[in-house]
Amino acid sequence: MPVSLVLALADVTFPFMTAMSEAFPKESELLTVLALFSAAVTLLSFLTGTLLANRLYARLGVATVALALPLMYLAGFGLWIVRFTLTTAVIVRFAQQVTQRGLSNAAFSAFYSVIPSARRGQVLAFMDGVPGQLCTVISGVLLIIASSLAMKQVFWLGFVTAVVAVVVM
């Protein structure tokens, strides 16, 4: 996964959790709502992956479908720049999770199927070991920085990062 997508993921999680924490100040309510949200995401991701993904891959191509995730980030941050509410936070996070789990994760995995099987494990280990760890560190630093920024600045940071992700993809 490109570094820019992981950075955008950190930007989506931070505002979403901020909005949810403000809307549901009691910890038990927050956990209940987040569990229901996760269940709904899992269900729709499963349905998207089983009923829609293969059709999209065949019609548009795997690389084009992989582009759906950075485009979703772009649309989501654009929406948040215009209006950030609990409703828009839920809509953007829901769309991001379903797009990632139902469409783009499989698309990114398909990219590795063209690598000869004898080298596939080595390539996957490299991708998980080097860029994956780097992205984790960068996301942590970004979250620390984001906590000191105004929410609108976080949205602009995410929007610019999403533009970079679209260009990279």
Side-chain angles (χ1 to χ4, degrees):
M1 183 178 290
V3 172
S4 53
L5 291 182
V6 174
L7 295 177
L9 175 62
D11 281 345
V12 171
T13 303
F14 177 71
F16 171 75
M17 289 305 294
T18 300
M20 294 298 280
S21 297
E22 290 172 1
F24 302 98
K26 290 175 95 178
E27 203 169 298
S28 60
E29 291 176 352
L30 177 62
L31 292 176
T32 301
V33 170
L34 289 175
L36 292 171
F37 179 84
S38 293
V41 165
T42 300
L43 176 63
L44 193 56
S45 297
F46 172 74
L47 293 174
T48 301
T50 56
L51 301 175
L52 184 64
N54 282 339
R55 289 184 174 112
L56 290 174
Y57 299 149
R59 182 169 300 214
L60 303 173
V62 174
T64 303
V65 175
L67 187 60
L69 187 59
L71 288 173
M72 197 297 312
Y73 283 122
L74 194 62
F77 286 117
L79 174 63
W80 283 354
I81 288 168
V82 173
R83 182 168 172 91
F84 181 71
T85 64
L86 177 63
T87 303
T88 61
V90 169
I91 289 168
V92 169
R93 179 67 171 169
F94 194 84
Q96 178 262 327
Q97 287 286 294
V98 170
T99 302
Q100 181 179 8
R101 294 178 186 186
L103 296 174
S104 72
N105 282 354
F108 281 112
S109 294
F111 292 143
Y112 297 112
S113 65
V114 298
I115 299 169
S117 60
R119 296 188 44 221
R120 195 172 298 141
Q122 181 183 14
V123 171
L124 288 171
F126 173 79
M127 292 305 294
D128 286 340
V130 179
Q133 295 301 314
L134 179 63
C135 291
T136 301
V137 170
I138 292 171
S139 292
V141 170
L142 184 63
L143 283 172
I144 292 169
I145 292 169
S147 66
S148 66
L149 297 174
M151 202 57 83
K152 197 70 126 181
Q153 292 172 314
V154 172
F155 302 153
W156 278 106
L157 179 62
F159 187 82
V160 169
T161 304
V163 169
V164 170
V166 169
V167 171
V168 167
M169 289 294 293

